Amino acid sequence: MEQKALLIIIPAYNEGKNIGALLEQLEQPEIREIADILVMNDASTDRTGDIVRERGHKVVTHVYNLGYGSGLQVGYKYAANKGYRYVIQMDADGQHDVSNVKVLYQRLLAADEKGRHPDIVLGSRFVEGSITYPISFLKRVAYVIFRLLIRLGTGRKIMDPTTGLQGLSKRAFSYYAGYSHFDDRYPDANMIMQMMLLGYWVEEVPAIMHTRVEGVSMHSGWKPILYMFRMIFSMSAVWVRIKLFHGDVGAGDEESVS
């Protein structure tokens, strides 16, 4: 089968109750004709990997649990090595409606009046046109803080800085694939700030998302509080590294990767 230009990367850890239904939806002709699918199985102890293989999709299985960010970065390396031109990353738990795939892909392909294509397209829960999505009080506080830090650090307003639904150009995911260019644990608002400071063009589009039905979120319990403080520190460190120490400054201004 001929390789597509677009690769959908799905990080998965013990998502055996969800991954089958998601893959079935992604197997619709309108998606399969434009995209290949890669599941990053992060040492799941359930049947996640078996289900993916039974359905005939590509799967990379980690021997040890490396975390969400590591799974994504290995996926970026795979996409870069195989020559894909675009990547869309989405969660395995079914929260990201598959209808978002074509929306993100079309935006990646669309040029603005200057002929410039976006490097990163964020599927946002909080812009006009998106579907109402319930979130906890703690998460609301975190979003306000992350938005403020991005606004202060870059001058840009990003409404959904923690969305895991993203489309990336080859230029963006090739940079992420490099050593020390990506947070291997919690790549969220910190990576968005990094890429904007480096000159990559980031846009948001409205997205349809659902609440998790099966399984346990990696941000359950007290984890959101720890996550919030870790992300504030990480975003501050990103700003210092780029603005004060000029780390990789201008990376996003270089010529597009061919």
Side-chain angles (χ1 to χ4, degrees):
M1 185 178 295
E2 183 180 357
Q3 178 174 298
K4 312 300 192 303
L6 170 65
L7 178 67
I8 299 174
I9 299 176
I10 307 172
Y13 174 65
N14 288 344
E15 293 289 358
K17 294 181 179 180
N18 298 310
I19 193 71
L22 173 62
L23 292 174
E24 183 177 3
Q25 294 176 62
L26 290 172
E27 289 162 4
Q28 299 172 15
E30 59 267 29
I31 296 179
R32 286 308 305 268
E33 68 185 11
I34 63 172
D36 293 329
I37 298 169
L38 173 68
V39 175
M40 304 304 302
N41 178 27
D42 196 16
S44 297
T45 57
D46 64 2
R47 295 194 69 251
T48 295
D50 295 332
I51 293 171
V52 178
R53 284 186 287 270
E54 288 167 3
R55 301 195 73 93
H57 298 290
K58 301 181 181 72
V59 58
V60 173
T61 298
H62 295 161
V63 178
Y64 301 103
N65 183 264
L66 300 179
Y68 176 76
S70 290
L72 281 175
Q73 190 176 45
V74 173
Y76 301 146
K77 292 178 184 291
Y78 178 95
N81 289 335
K82 293 294 185 178
Y84 286 95
R85 298 196 60 81
Y86 304 96
V87 157
I88 288 177
Q89 63 187 56
M90 60 188 304
D91 293 347
D93 56 13
Q95 293 191 73
H96 299 156
D97 196 286
V98 298
S99 65
N100 295 306
V101 170
K102 295 193 75 171
V103 174
L104 267 65
Y105 189 43
Q106 289 169 359
R107 188 64 198 92
L108 284 168
L109 295 175
D112 63 14
E113 63 277 4
K114 297 180 181 179
R116 180 177 58 177
H117 294 78
D119 294 300
I120 299 175
V121 179
L122 307 175
S124 176
R125 293 162 287 187
F126 309 118
V127 297
E128 184 177 353
S130 59
I131 303 300
T132 301
Y133 186 87
I135 56 175
S136 67
F137 173 75
L138 281 177
K139 288 185 178 181
R140 287 183 185 275
V141 172
Y143 293 154
V144 170
I145 294 173
F146 299 160
R147 289 169 187 158
L148 177 61
L149 289 176
I150 289 177
R151 186 68 174 267
L152 292 175
T154 69
R156 289 279 311 280
K157 183 179 181 180
I158 297 294
M159 291 303 297
D160 196 350
T162 70
T163 178
L165 177 64
Q166 301 185 18
L168 299 94
S169 69
K170 186 173 184 179
R171 203 161 69 114
F173 70 73
S174 294
Y175 179 82
Y176 275 160
Y179 178 73
S180 78
H181 291 173
F182 194 71
D183 186 337
D184 63 357
R185 296 303 299 176
Y186 299 110
D188 278 323
N190 51 347
M191 294 296 94
I192 294 174
M193 173 178 274
Q194 168 187 272
M195 299 303 271
M196 293 170 70
L197 289 173
L198 292 177
Y200 291 89
W201 187 251
V202 179
E203 293 191 3
E204 286 185 283
V205 295
I208 299 173
M209 299 195 190
H210 312 287
T211 56
R212 173 187 280 270
V213 176
E214 299 281 359
V216 179
S217 169
M218 66 179 179
H219 293 307
S220 58
W222 289 97
K223 291 179 181 178
I225 297 177
L226 299 175
Y227 162 80
M228 180 172 64
F229 284 106
R230 185 189 189 280
M231 190 57 56
I232 291 172
F233 174 80
S234 181
M235 294 175 74
S236 302
V238 163
W239 189 90
V240 169
R241 176 172 62 83
I242 296 173
K243 298 298 287 186
L244 298 186
F245 293 98
H246 308 291
D248 281 351
V249 167
D253 297 327
E254 298 172 357
E255 292 296 322
S256 297
V257 177
S258 59

